[in-house]
Amino acid sequence: MRLVMLGAPGAGKGTQAKKIADKYGIPHISTGDIFRANIKNGTELGKRAKAYMDQGALVPDELVVDLVADRVKQADCEKGYVLDGFPRTIPQAESLDAVLKDMGQKIDHAINVEVPDENIVKRMSGRRACVSCGATYHIEHAPSKKEGICDRCGEALILRDDDRAETVKTRLSVYHEQTQPLIEYYGGQGCLEDVDGTMDMEEVFAAICRILGE
Ligand code: ADP
Ligand code: AMP
């Protein structure tokens, strides 16, 4: 089962992608997490990506396409995967399709998590992230057991620099300009499924499971 998560930044793609990955036993591939891990480890890719991420801009396609192409060819992706944060532009989606075509594969479902812009800024300012293991919390909707500490690995949680209100506004306009056209793209392929992302997390997950078949 090869899935793509679509939706604005903060719509809940990562939250749902992790639940899907756990339930169906497939890898969760988040390009944002890959970049943040590279930044943390001080790699050349991390240094290049950080400049764009801090401004709320997209990292150039050429820095992300090969990375994902290599990842989906790995053995643990044989039964499928859930892509979160990729593709984010039409050229990225076309490159992914070309790679999959060569492998005799295709995307089975593009899940579009719909949340209006008004709700997004509040969600993002409450998000807390663990850069060590990729876990995500929300100070109101999904708090960690001990404030500021990751339940899973015990590391300190952070407010991502790009989750500050000003950067979120830039990220939303980048989303509308460059990423939203993917809704039509996957609609044209007949694999688009819309889900109301304003419901609580478990309800959103139940709606996705109904689409995927339990
Ligand atoms: P994305 O991966 O789309 O950027 P996240 O999954 O990180 O979004 O979610 C953004 C923030 O909103 C996180 O703090 C998360 O805990 C919270 N969140 C996710 N889904 C919901 C929901 N259905 N209702 C309320 N808060 C949510
Ligand atoms: P995310 O964790 O998905 O919200 O991504 C955080 C940031 O990483 C984005 O605002 C971009 O700067 C960058 N990024 C992640 N995935 C991509 C992608 N597929 N294409 C371009 N930039 C990306």
Side-chain angles (χ1 to χ4, degrees):
M1 181 160 55
R2 284 173 288 273
L3 308 181
V4 163
M5 302 301 293
L6 298 178
K13 301 181 297 295
T15 301
Q16 298 303 326
K18 288 185 187 95
K19 286 173 165 293
I20 295 167
D22 280 351
K23 173 165 178 173
Y24 294 92
I26 52 178
H28 165 215
I29 303 173
S30 156
T31 43
D33 283 353
I34 294 171
F35 288 136
R36 281 184 289 278
N38 274 273
I39 292 171
K40 188 167 182 248
N41 295 328
T43 69
E44 196 49 43
L45 174 66
K47 282 180 197 145
R48 292 178 69 185
K50 187 175 188 315
Y52 298 95
M53 290 169 74
D54 283 351
Q55 289 172 23
L58 293 184
V59 170
D61 290 343
E62 60 270 24
L63 290 189
V64 68
V65 164
D66 291 349
L67 187 148
V68 174
D70 289 345
R71 182 67 187 87
V72 298
K73 286 176 192 157
Q74 286 172 20
D76 64 332
C77 288
E78 232 167 64
K79 282 197 208 142
Y81 42 79
V82 46
L83 286 173
D84 162 19
F86 183 95
R88 253 181 161 104
T89 63
I90 296 280
Q92 288 182 15
E94 288 170 347
S95 303
L96 176 65
D97 279 350
V99 169
L100 292 180
K101 197 171 173 207
D102 279 351
M103 297 164 78
Q105 300 175 348
K106 64 175 180 53
I107 292 298
D108 301 307
H109 300 280
I111 311 273
N112 178 32
V113 184
E114 296 181 298
V115 175
D117 286 9
E118 310 77 273
N119 303 21
I120 294 286
V121 178
K122 187 155 178 276
R123 276 209 190 170
M124 306 288 255
S125 59
R127 172 158 66 182
R128 295 293 178 273
C130 176
V131 185
S132 244
C133 74
T136 304
Y137 303 87
H138 190 282
I139 51 175
E140 281 171 32
H141 308 298
S144 56
K145 292 198 181 83
K146 200 168 162 208
E147 197 184 324
I149 303 292
C150 179
D151 292 348
R152 223 160 67 181
C153 72
E155 289 285 321
L157 300 177
I158 58 152
L159 167 65
R160 282 167 44 180
D161 285 339
D162 61 349
D163 279 352
R164 293 173 200 281
E166 273 320 296
T167 316
V168 169
K169 285 180 192 146
T170 309
R171 293 172 69 199
L172 275 173
S173 58
V174 167
Y175 166 75
H176 290 301
E177 271 169 38
Q178 301 195 54
T179 308
Q180 207 170 354
L182 292 175
I183 295 173
E184 205 174 314
Y185 181 89
Y186 285 108
Q189 292 193 0
C191 64
L192 181 74
E193 310 278 1
D194 294 320
V195 173
D196 176 3
T198 64
M199 302 183 292
D200 82 36
M201 294 173 200
E202 292 308 325
E203 286 176 312
V204 178
F205 186 54
I208 293 175
C209 291
R210 281 195 292 277
I211 290 165
L212 301 180
E214 281 156 84

